[in-house]
Structures are given as C-alpha cells and as structure tokens.
C-alpha cells in the first residue's frame, strides 16, 4: 500500500514537472482555477504590476509595492485550450506575452490568441523548490526586471537565464 501511494505521488510530481507546473505551500499552481496570485520579485520584493493599472492591450509591466490592486493580481493556468499556463491579469483579463523574441523585449499584456508566446513555463529556479523562473514557451527567456531594478516603476522585460541574477526570480503567492 505504501509503495502504491509513493508511485501515485511520484507520478503527480513527474506530470507537473513535464508540464512546467510547479507548486509549493503558498502557490498551488496546478489545481484551483479560481486562485489569484501576486508575483513578487526576489531582488526587489515588489510585485508584477500593469503600468497605470491599464486594461488596454500593449501596456507594459513594471514592478511596484504591493497595494492589493487588481492590476497586481494574476491567474495562472491553462486558458482557452492552451497546454501550458497563461498568466492573466485580473484587472484587464489580458494575458502576458513578450513583444518580440529578443533579449530586452518588453513584457506586455495582450488579447488572448492562444499562441505559444502567451504560454509560460513556471519552474523552480534551483530545480527543487521556490523561488521560480517564469520562462516564455516560445523564446525560453525569463521574465526579468530591467537593470536589476529595485524601485517602483522599474520596467519588466525578458532575458536569457543568468544564474545568480535575483531580478529573474519570483515568488508566487496566493492572495485568495
């Protein structure tokens, strides 16, 4: 009986690893479609936020002190039949995507199309536990705070993974 339970647990972990879904006690990203999260940068302690609390497409993301605004809240999970998670802003109902495929391309919110650039791998940064890297499924680049910024309003872009760079690491914390 213990062996069967161990096999079941290992199977669930393997499925989550293959799908790029990671979870911990604060962020169960794999089960509740109604879960809402704040995404906190490890380097600055500030949260992922939409500039000017906009509900319009093409508005960039930046980081800001957590104020509990809906523009700072996110749903993470399959959306509209996608295989990998999309990251959807609660305020705008728009999904995250990079504006281009290159290093330094801004991350903005956009209308859902189901394209791969709107899908993300959320993986443990160290391979076995939080914090997370949020990697775009098309570009394989990480969501990163520009210039390792620490301030309110510092913009967010994508960049190749650079080990040891804290501005590419995120805590995902459920708020509801």
């Amino acid at each position: 009986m213990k062996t069967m339970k161990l096999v079941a647990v290992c199977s669930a972990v393997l499925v989550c690893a293959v799908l790029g879904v990671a979870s911990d006690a604060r962020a169960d990203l794999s089960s509740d479609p109604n879960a809402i999260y704040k995404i906190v940068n490890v380097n600055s302690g500030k949260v992922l936020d939409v500039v000017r609390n906009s509900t319009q497409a093409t508005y960039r993301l930046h980081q800001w002190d957590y104020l509990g605004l809906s523009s700072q809240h996110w749903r993470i999970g399959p959306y509209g039949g996608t295989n990998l998670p999309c990251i959807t802003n609660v305020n705008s109902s728009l999904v995250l995507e990079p504006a281009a495929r290159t290093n330094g391309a801004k991350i903005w919110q956009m209308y859902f199309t189901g394209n791969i650039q709107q899908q993300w791998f959320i993986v443990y940064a160290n391979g076995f536990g939080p914090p997370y890297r949020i990697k775009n499924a098309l570009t394989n680049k990480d969501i990163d705070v520009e210039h390792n910024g620490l301030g309110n309003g510092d913009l967010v872009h994508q960049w190749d993974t650079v080990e040891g760079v804290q501005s590419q690491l995120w805590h995902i914390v459920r708020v509801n």
Side-chain angles (χ1 to χ4, degrees):
M1 187 66 155
K2 288 183 182 180
T3 302
M4 293 199 53
K5 286 181 183 177
L6 181 59
V7 168
V9 169
C10 290
S11 296
V13 170
L14 178 61
V15 166
C16 288
V18 168
L19 293 177
V21 176
S23 65
D24 70 352
R26 292 172 298 144
D28 182 3
L29 304 176
S30 63
S31 64
D32 186 353
N34 298 312
I36 297 172
Y37 304 95
K38 63 181 177 179
I39 302 173
V40 184
N41 187 261
V42 168
N43 191 49
S44 66
K46 298 183 183 306
V47 298
L48 198 60
D49 185 23
V50 178
V51 171
R52 295 188 189 107
N53 306 316
S54 178
T55 58
Q56 296 178 14
T58 72
Y59 265 72
R60 286 194 74 170
L61 299 186
H62 64 182
Q63 65 177 7
W64 204 270
D65 288 327
Y66 182 67
L67 303 171
L69 302 172
S70 58
S71 63
Q72 298 176 329
H73 291 159
W74 307 91
R75 292 189 192 282
I76 301 172
Y79 185 78
T82 61
N83 292 326
L84 296 171
C86 293
I87 302 172
T88 308
N89 185 261
V90 169
N91 188 49
S92 67
S93 297
L94 300 175
V95 298
L96 297 190
E97 74 172 38
R101 295 182 182 190
T102 57
N103 277 339
K106 61 186 170 186
I107 303 292
W108 61 14
Q109 62 180 4
M110 185 54 73
Y111 298 108
F112 175 76
T113 62
N115 293 331
I116 193 167
Q117 71 263 23
Q118 295 180 337
Q119 298 174 48
W120 301 86
F121 293 104
I122 300 172
V123 297
Y124 293 134
N126 59 15
F128 58 85
Y132 300 97
R133 289 188 177 280
I134 305 172
K135 303 179 83 55
N136 186 264
L138 176 65
T139 66
N140 202 39
K141 296 181 186 302
D142 294 350
I143 294 180
D144 179 36
V145 178
E146 290 183 357
H147 311 294
N148 302 314
L150 298 172
N152 282 336
D154 286 338
L155 295 170
V156 174
H157 64 183
Q158 70 174 3
W159 204 267
D160 288 329
T161 299
V162 180
E163 293 301 326
V165 173
Q166 300 291 301
S167 62
Q168 295 182 335
L169 304 180
W170 303 87
H171 290 291
I172 300 174
V173 182
R174 187 167 176 168
V175 296
N176 69 342

